Amino acid sequence: MNRRSDSPLAVPTDPSADPTPLHFYRLPLGDVASLPGAMLGARLLTPATLPLPTAAGSPVQPVYAELLTPTAPTLDAWFTPGHVTTSQHGCVHIVSDGHWLHGSARLDPAQSEGGLEHAAWRIYADVFAALAQHTSPHLLRLWNYVPGINDHGDGLEHYRHFNVGRQRAFLDAGRSAFEGSPAACAVGTAGKELQVFFLAGASAPLAIENPRQVSAYHYPTQYGPRSPTFSRAALAGVGGGRRALFISGTASIEGHASMHVGDVRKQTEETLLNITALLDAAQQKAQVSVPIESLSCTVYLRHREDLPAVLDVLHQRLGPHSHAVRTAVVLLADICRADLLVEIEAHAIVPVEGGQ
Ligand code: 3EB
């Protein structure tokens, strides 16, 4: 009897077969050693005002934003049951199991001529060069942490400089900077460095837009000379008969206008309306059912004193015992428009058949 052919460990060779499962864990830093499999990468969220950067090649990188809740250092980690290899492409550090790929990069814009715009272009150019050498070229989700996001350099807000460099790198690499852009978030930190994290896979995700909002890649030029490059949400197979719905950073924007300026409670409610609209759009477009209470959320808050009000709205709208509320993390971070006080990003992983 050929024991190898019926071994449950046999690696599928059919490229259309369900890939090895990608796993997400949000857990206290100390518990990471107990996780099965190998780490692709992780964002370390800590209550330190300015977390110290780890070594450049470490798969665990601290986000330079203060964790407000929970109070214990927390990891957002992506794991694979496979074996991982690492590589470096310019400033981008990659960990991959041959199917899933996690990358991280950081650059100090003060160290490069061309400032933040150039730093954004440099990081994204390196991301695309790295992806071109891997069998997983499709970006699923990006996280951007922008130093002094609302500061003005040369009369143009840092976020707008960031958008110029990011969009140029997409176009230089021959990637669409409009329809089909990856899901993302971009928030401001007190750190000096621009940080970018990303997940990529072998298949392109399905981009989903929010009917209540103008697509960010079609924002009018009053928000900057080049539009932001992201889709409102992306649906991607993540192996193990499951798919992930990645909800990009979502804020109190209707059409393209900021709503409820100065009112953090109403901004939080508007944000939840936008997320609900996105979940409805995902249901319509891809028959994926994700209750809002089941999302894993990251809340970015401009002012620490707004924490009780935002938590109160989340408790009221999602239920104090919901998965969303129990697992939410809140970080102190500036939002990309000076008049926005809160932004929420989220994801859910659901069985393929459960979403049909
Ligand atoms: C917005 O809706 C809020 O530039 O990558 C949300 C998600 C926002 C992603 C980005 C910006 C980004 O425009 C800001």
Side-chain angles (χ1 to χ4, degrees), residues 124 141-142 144 159 162-163 166 183-187 213 216 219 228-232 248-253 335-337 340 343:
Y124 275 84
R141 174 68 161 102
L142 290 137
N144 300 287
Y159 177 59
F162 168 79
N163 280 328
R166 173 172 58 175
C185 58
V187 295
Q213 298 184 309
Y219 279 166
T229 308
F230 72 98
S231 291
R232 298 293 181 187
S248 292
T250 305
S252 178
I253 295 173
I335 317 303
C336 63
R337 294 184 188 177
L340 293 175
E343 178 173 311

Side-chain angles (χ1 to χ4, degrees), residues 33-96:
S34 64
L35 292 177
M39 185 192 284
L40 289 160
R43 290 173 300 146
L44 172 60
L45 315 175
T46 82
T49 312
L50 260 189
L52 293 175
T54 51
S58 168
V60 178
Q61 292 289 328
V63 171
Y64 305 148
E66 182 182 337
L67 180 65
L68 298 180
T69 184
T71 49
T74 298
L75 269 192
D76 272 8
W78 295 95
F79 266 68
T80 169
H83 296 283
V84 296
T85 55
T86 67
S87 56
Q88 186 83 27
H89 303 260
C91 62
V92 172
H93 185 75
I94 301 274
V95 181
S96 175

